[in-house]
Every structure is written in C-alpha cells, then in structure tokens.
Amino acid sequence: MKARLIALRLQHWDTRPLSERRSIIIGASVALPLLAYFLLWQPAHDAVGKLRETLPKLRMQTEQMRQAAAQIEDLRHRPQLAVMDALAVKTAVEESATRHQLRDALTSIVAQEPNGVRITITSVSFESWLNWLRELQTSQHIRADSVAITQLAEPGMVTVRATLTNGNTP
C-alpha cells in the first residue's frame, strides 16, 4: 500500500511544475476550510439552534403524553357502567326533570332505541339546563349526544332540543 502511494505521488505530484504545485496547495488551503465550514460546521450549528427551539416543545408533549397515559390507565380500572334501555332512560330523565322543577318546561320526551331519548324543553334558563345536564351525567350517566339551543328574547332563557343517551350508541 505504501509503495503504491509513493508510486502515485511520483507519477502525479512530482511530475507537476513547482508553480502548479504551489497553486494546488494554495487552492487546497483555501478550499478545505471553506468545505469544512459549509459541509460540517454550518449544518451542525443550524441544527443546534433548531434543537434548542424544538426540545422544550418535545418535552412538553412528552409530559402531556405521560399524563394522558395515566388518565387512560385510570379509566381502564373504572367499572363499566350498566346501560339502561330507552324506557329506563326516559323514566330517569322525567324523574330528574321533576326534581329540578323542569318537568313543566319539558314539552316532549320520546324514547329512542336502544338507549336514548329525544327531548324538547321550551323556555328554560340556560343555567338551569346546564345544572340539570350535569346532574344527569354525574348521577345517571346520561350524556347529551346532540344538542340544539335557541336563544329566546328574554335574557338567559333558551329552548333546547337534545338527544340524551346512556352508554355507547351502536
């Protein structure tokens, strides 16, 4: 190998005139630092800046994922709720509306198979509607599947059309 390098040097380098060798050395001494700068140092320097910007975001995302994983684990260990049929949901909604003095405002309640009801409430305060819905969700595990709320002329009063369900809809 060493002999081959010597032969290449004798064949290509030593045969060149002295002025050409100087030009090549000067060109190489200018070109090599420029190549090193543009091919090695500058991309690395830019990457460090980008990493400084993205690393805190990635750490925040990692923490959010850890929190989400902990919530998922908590939810896995919760007992499964019993699913009520449509008539049981209708009865629970009517009883709850009576307790919250909303039975008179509840103009229509129609059972929908397999485990839901469609309701219409006219002229109810928005705050009362939200409190009632929260109580349905916490005590009966009945949630609003779809809701349409229309504001009335009287401040704070609304008309509500909603579909309430218990459990997973198929």
Side-chain angles (χ1 to χ4, degrees):
M1 180 78 173
K2 191 174 184 182
R4 188 170 178 179
L5 287 175
I6 292 172
L8 282 173
R9 192 190 83 194
L10 287 173
Q11 181 182 3
H12 294 287
W13 183 254
D14 290 342
T15 58
R16 303 204 182 274
L18 185 61
S19 62
E20 190 176 338
R21 282 190 270 175
R22 279 191 195 135
S23 297
I24 291 173
I25 289 173
I26 291 171
S29 65
V30 170
L32 285 177
L34 288 173
L35 284 173
Y37 175 80
F38 286 111
L39 294 177
L40 299 175
W41 189 84
Q42 185 64 34
H45 181 70
D46 291 343
V48 167
K50 289 177 184 175
L51 286 175
R52 282 190 181 132
E53 291 176 11
T54 59
L55 190 59
K57 293 175 188 174
L58 292 173
R59 285 184 177 151
M60 186 174 23
Q61 287 176 349
T62 301
E63 186 58 33
Q64 289 173 344
M65 290 175 74
R66 284 187 183 132
Q67 290 173 357
Q71 289 176 349
I72 289 170
E73 194 60 33
D74 288 343
L75 290 173
R76 282 187 182 160
H77 295 296
R78 283 190 181 172
Q80 293 293 324
L81 302 173
V83 177
M84 296 187 280
D85 65 355
L87 293 176
V89 173
K90 180 180 177 183
T91 303
V93 168
E94 287 174 334
E95 290 173 359
S96 179
T98 303
R99 282 194 309 274
H100 283 266
Q101 287 92 26
L102 296 175
R103 187 63 184 106
D104 293 336
L106 188 62
T107 57
S108 121
I109 181 164
V110 178
Q112 286 189 315
E113 292 298 329
N115 56 354
V117 292
R118 193 174 57 242
I119 63 167
T120 303
I121 302 175
T122 56
S123 188
V124 65
S125 79
F126 186 68
E127 184 178 358
S128 296
W129 156 251
L130 288 179
N131 290 335
W132 180 56
L133 185 61
R134 184 180 312 116
E135 191 270 330
L136 280 173
Q137 289 174 341
T138 56
S139 67
Q140 301 291 329
H141 306 290
I142 296 172
R143 63 177 169 79
D145 194 36
S146 66
V147 178
I149 298 175
T150 306
Q151 182 179 359
L152 298 177
E154 187 179 343
M157 300 301 283
V158 294
T159 297
V160 178
R161 285 180 304 284
T163 302
L164 305 175
T165 60
N166 170 264
N168 297 327
T169 55

